[in-house]
Amino acid sequence: MNRRTVIQSAGVGALIGLAGCIEGVQEHFMGSVQGVIPIELHSEASRSYNIQMQAYERKTNRQTYDHSFAITPGENVQPEHLSAVNQSLQIVKHGEEDGQETVREVSISGETELVLVTVTDDELEIEAQYDETETSAPNGNNTTNETPTNATSNETTGETDG
């Protein structure tokens, strides 16, 4: 075997090896760029509240999102986007005058297009809007609506530990 053949074979082998790596790297980065879900918060409250947002992947219970901030009256906030994975998003409104906190939770999936949150003095509302072309809602119910399917939230209130 001559030297050119050896070098040529080594180069081809290296390119084949890199092709697999490049595909994996491309898949990793494309997955992290695609599939993000924007969150929009709007305060209709007469005073400021502290908001805590956390999301956990449903299968593994791995935390996928953690963001806290204060929202003032009339303010619109667009925090970091959520990943488009099957997860549970929990939002807590702290700072109630009676020492209570308001907790809401909504299911997020790859079909979720937008999460809208409205903060008022009396309420914390979450609306998850899903892809209108989807034929199956995340909760397993089949739907043929031509408008986005909206998920409602579950409410839990509890006292804070001062």
Side-chain angles (χ1 to χ4, degrees), residues 38-155:
I39 303 172
E40 296 179 7
L41 282 93
H42 176 67
S43 176
E44 296 177 358
S46 62
R47 61 188 204 86
S48 297
Y49 289 95
N50 293 321
I51 303 295
Q52 179 182 11
M53 303 172 72
Q54 294 181 330
Y56 293 89
E57 195 172 278
R58 279 190 227 123
K59 286 185 180 179
T60 64
N61 205 31
R62 178 181 64 90
Q63 187 173 18
T64 57
Y65 190 85
D66 187 12
H67 195 68
S68 298
F69 53 90
I71 190 166
T72 58
E75 184 178 19
N76 292 316
V77 177
Q78 293 181 333
E80 295 177 27
H81 298 323
L82 287 166
S83 298
V85 297
N86 291 332
Q87 59 190 323
S88 179
L89 173 65
Q90 182 182 65
I91 301 178
V92 181
K93 179 177 81 168
H94 300 281
E96 305 281 342
E97 291 178 359
D98 57 3
Q100 299 285 315
E101 60 185 22
T102 304
V103 179
R104 298 285 185 267
E105 193 167 346
V106 67
S107 292
I108 304 297
S109 70
E111 290 80 32
T112 307
E113 291 185 338
L114 176 65
V115 176
L116 297 172
V117 181
T118 304
V119 178
T120 65
D121 290 320
D122 299 327
E123 193 60 55
L124 176 63
E125 298 174 1
I126 303 175
E127 180 183 337
Q129 296 182 349
Y130 298 96
D131 184 0
E132 61 188 42
T133 61
E134 192 62 30
T135 58
S136 178
N139 62 6
N141 295 333
N142 289 333
T143 179
T144 55
N145 293 345
E146 292 185 15
T147 58
T149 305
N150 295 328
T152 56
S153 59
N154 300 322
E155 177 180 351

